[in-house]
């Protein structure tokens, strides 16, 4: 007794598949009716001499009472029910569509390099120039007439003409000696740019690539393009790390010449990236040009050896990031001639281009490899830039052109700032939910980091300066200064069989001078754990090292007092071992909140104290701690530079995340091209993202569903309560901008909720 014909036919097929005899109402007189299936169930349907069931009984009979968990939308026995489909959303099909969407997003063109549209039309190759006799140029070079030789080459430039590479190498060597005029240097670069325009290596035979490789290397060492690039960068940084000695002190004309050479390299690599993303590297048949694959490009040959191409973080890329950090520091320290070079911007663009090029080559075959390569690069960058000012790092992120590189670098730097401030955020994959639930609350901890504490907010002595002191890229940014090396205690980096560091061992023995010496070093983790999970504060509290506990509590950032191992906190340790002075010190520092912690047997620290007088002393110390914390709350002192840097990083993190991993557009009436967004919302209307993604294997598709659910929750008013009052009321422009971004996300979520 189902009125709608299509639905009735569907149930009829199901029942006949089970070898039932099916009759339409009214049944024939000879029929022996055993069951009545009705939609809707009415008094009339119950009038037959047989039990009456709603049609949903068929589904329950086949799949059990928990069929909702099997992704079926059970229909209710409601006369007002609309004619929804039996299966609301096909979740396996949704995963495939989201996976295809991710692949399409990853493969879209990056870094819109419109200036390359003026180059050759690959379908109309320019005619080759007639043969030119360059013997007179060779004679001029032998006689030392470099200016005249360069003028002869300039006058003979035609499309398709490649002057002999040894002549250009000789002219480049002369330019590096420091005797060339600014006019000569400018004309030499003009010749190089003319060669690039008339003979772009991405639209030419492989012999042209080899030609550029021969010219673009050190004329003395001849070790390939990367050593020469490294030398040019080092010279601009006044570093002594060059392949061979160059004229010093750095001459202004040579500084600008090497800076312009770096810009030329960048233009060349941008052209190769442009050809890969737009498909211009594929030439039509019959042109006489055998186009090599992208793996034979100059960009690949410069930054990756044959054995390194499966990893983004090659040796050359590591060296480039080291030089980039040094250039960023000098860019902010200098206010003279070097700042006009814009070296940091050039290196940032170079890094963006090579990252995009490498990702373009690998994302179709192995998305996980691309994810890992980007993460490794970002983590490496965060490690080597630990001693750089947070404000400088935040400004650096703003200037990154590649959105996927900006996304990973901003994430790694923000997590590094949190770690250096004494707290950590989860290492789970990046998502909207993680940003809202972990990163936004972390801003409050950054805001409360004491100004001038261990987390540096200005240029440090580790950074290279330009006062004629040469230093290598690695030692200047990672290693300690000579003064700090003298203060490093012996055995600092040794870990015993139990996983205990020197700080653990010193706290056990109450060696307070050693503890203070370790805490004074940059990058010291006061919450480091041994193999069992014990921190130095645990050890000091357990062994009665009162002076060490005091030193640890005075350290900025302060240690975490609520760490527990098997339910044992530092306060439990102190009380259990009778160290009441340490227990009172901990309570005066943290207040009564740590009195609420239970051990493995459910006992608080007060339950471990039998004497009434001792319990009263502990409660008094907790009251003193609560009063001190209340006073600090009524007079908040925000570390404005640090919270502004963190807010800037988070703002660009959210923007980049939306550009890189944004949700598919919501469906418009009659618009089938964007129906994926509507399908995703339908799936989340009645199911959680865990139910929707059950059994999915594509993690990016899973993350898209979680992001959609997070936006819906934001629209329903959830999550934004995580933002503390101190952060909301911060007057910094970056923080206020971040609050506007969060409100915009909430508005997007409200619009999605309204569409459900």
């Amino acid at each position: 007794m189902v009125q709608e014909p299509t639905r009735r036919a569907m149930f009829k097929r199901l029942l006949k598949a089970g070898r039932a005899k099916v009759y339409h109402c009214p049944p024939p007189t000879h029929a022996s009716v055993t069951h009545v299936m009705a939609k809707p169930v009415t008094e009339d349907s119950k009038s037959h001499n047989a039990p009456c069931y709603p049609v949903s009984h068929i589904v329950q009979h086949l799949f059990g009472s928990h069929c909702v968990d099997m992704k079926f939308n059970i229909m209710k026995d409601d006369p007002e029910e609309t004619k929804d489909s039996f299966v609301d959303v096909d979740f396996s099909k949704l995963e495939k569509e989201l996976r295809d969407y991710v692949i399409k997003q990853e493969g879209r063109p990056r870094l819109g390099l419109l200036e390359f549209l003026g180059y050759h039309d690959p379908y109309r190759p320019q005619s080759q120039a007639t043969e030119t006799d360059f013997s007179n140029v060779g004679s001029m070079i032998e006689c030392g007439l470099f200016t005249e030789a360069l003028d002869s080459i300039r006058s003979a430039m035609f499309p398709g003409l490649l002057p002999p590479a040894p002549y250009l190498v000789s002219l480049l060597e002369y330019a590096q000696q420091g005797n060339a005029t600014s006019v000569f240097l400018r004309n030499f670069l003009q010749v190089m740019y003319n060669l690039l325009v008339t003979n772009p290596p991405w639209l030419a035979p492989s012999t042209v690539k080899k030609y550029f490789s021969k010219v673009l290397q050190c004329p003395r060492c001849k070790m390939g393009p990367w050593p020469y690039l490294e030398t040019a960068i080092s010279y601009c940084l006044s570093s002594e790390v060059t392949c061979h000695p160059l004229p010093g002190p750095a001459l202004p004309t040579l500084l600008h010449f090497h800076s312009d050479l770096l810009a030329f390299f960048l233009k060349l690599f941008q052209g190769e990236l442009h050809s890969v993303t737009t498909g211009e590297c594929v030439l039509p048949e019959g042109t006489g040009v055998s186009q090599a694959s992208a793996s034979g490009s100059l960009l690949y040959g410069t930054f990756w050896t044959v054995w390194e191409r499966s990893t983004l973080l090659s040796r050359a890329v590591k060296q480039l990031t080291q030089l980039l950090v040094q250039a960023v520091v000098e860019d902010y320290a200098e206010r003279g001639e070097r700042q006009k070079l814009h070296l940091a911007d050039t290196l940032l663009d170079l890094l963006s281009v090579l990252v995009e090029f490498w990702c373009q080559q690998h994302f179709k075959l192995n998305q996980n490899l691309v994810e890992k390569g980007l993460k490794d690069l970002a983590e490496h960058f965060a490690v080597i830039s630990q001693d750089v000012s947070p404000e400088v790092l935040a400004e650096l992120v703003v200037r990154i052109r590649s959105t996927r590189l900006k996304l990973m670098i901003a994430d790694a730097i923000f997590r590094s700032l949190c770690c250096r401030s004494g707290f950590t955020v989860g290492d789970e994959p990046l998502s909207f939910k993680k940003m809202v639930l972990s990163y936004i609350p972390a801003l409050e901890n950054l805001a409360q980091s004491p100004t001038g504490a261990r987390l540096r907010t200005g240029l440090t002595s580790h950074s290279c300066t330009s006062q004629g002191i040469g230093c290598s890229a690695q030692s200047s940014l990672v290693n300690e200064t000579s003064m700090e090396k003298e203060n490093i205690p012996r055995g600092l980096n040794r870990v015993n069989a139990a996983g205990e560091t020197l700080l653990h061992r010193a706290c056990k023995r109450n060696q307070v001078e050693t503890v203070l010496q370790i805490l004074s070093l940059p990058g010291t983790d006061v919450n480091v754990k041994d193999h069992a999970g014990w921190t130095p504060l645990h050890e000091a509290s357990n062994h009665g090292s009162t002076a060490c506990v005091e030193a640890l509590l005075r350290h900025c950032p302060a240690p975490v007092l609520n760490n527990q191992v098997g339910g044992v906190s530092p306060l439990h340790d102190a009380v259990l071992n009778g160290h009441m002075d340490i227990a009172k010190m901990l309570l005066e520092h943290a207040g009564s909140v740590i009195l609420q912690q239970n051990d493995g047997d459910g006992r608080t620290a007060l339950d471990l104290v039998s004497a009434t007088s001792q319990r009263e002393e502990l409660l008094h110390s907790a009251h003193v701690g609560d009063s001190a914390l209340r006073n600090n709350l009524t007079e908040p002192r925000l570390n404005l530079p640090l919270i502004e840097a963190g807010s800037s990083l988070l703002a660009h993190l959210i923007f980049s995340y939306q550009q890189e991993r944004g949700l598919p557009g919501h469906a418009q009436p009659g618009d089938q091209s964007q129906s994926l967004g509507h399908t995703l919302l339908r799936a989340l209307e009645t199911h959680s993202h865990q139910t929707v993604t059950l059994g999915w294997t594509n993690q990016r598709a899973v993350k898209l569903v979680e992001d959609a659910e997070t936006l819906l929750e934001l629209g329903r008013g959830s999550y934004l309560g995580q933002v503390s009052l101190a952060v909301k009321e911060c007057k910094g422009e970056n923080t206020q901008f971040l609050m506007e971004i969060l409100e915009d996300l909430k508005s997007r979520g409200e619009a999605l909720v309204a569409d459900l």
Side-chain angles (χ1 to χ4, degrees), residues 419-424 445 450 454 503-504 507 515 519 524-529 534-541 547-564 570-571 582 585-586 589-591 593-594 597 629:
C419 183
R420 289 152 59 186
S421 297
F423 58 96
T424 57
N445 292 316
R454 298 309 308 165
L503 186 56
H504 284 96
C507 287
V515 170
L519 295 179
T524 297
D525 184 3
V526 72
N527 298 307
V528 62
K529 296 179 181 180
W534 303 111
T535 65
L537 184 61
H538 273 110
E539 299 292 2
S541 302
C548 291
V549 171
E550 185 177 4
L552 290 170
L553 293 178
R554 288 181 177 177
H555 183 260
C556 293
V560 177
L561 272 69
N562 58 1
N563 271 330
Q564 289 182 289
L571 180 60
I582 292 179
M585 195 183 304
L586 295 173
H589 183 85
V593 64
I594 58 175
Q597 286 185 290
L629 290 174

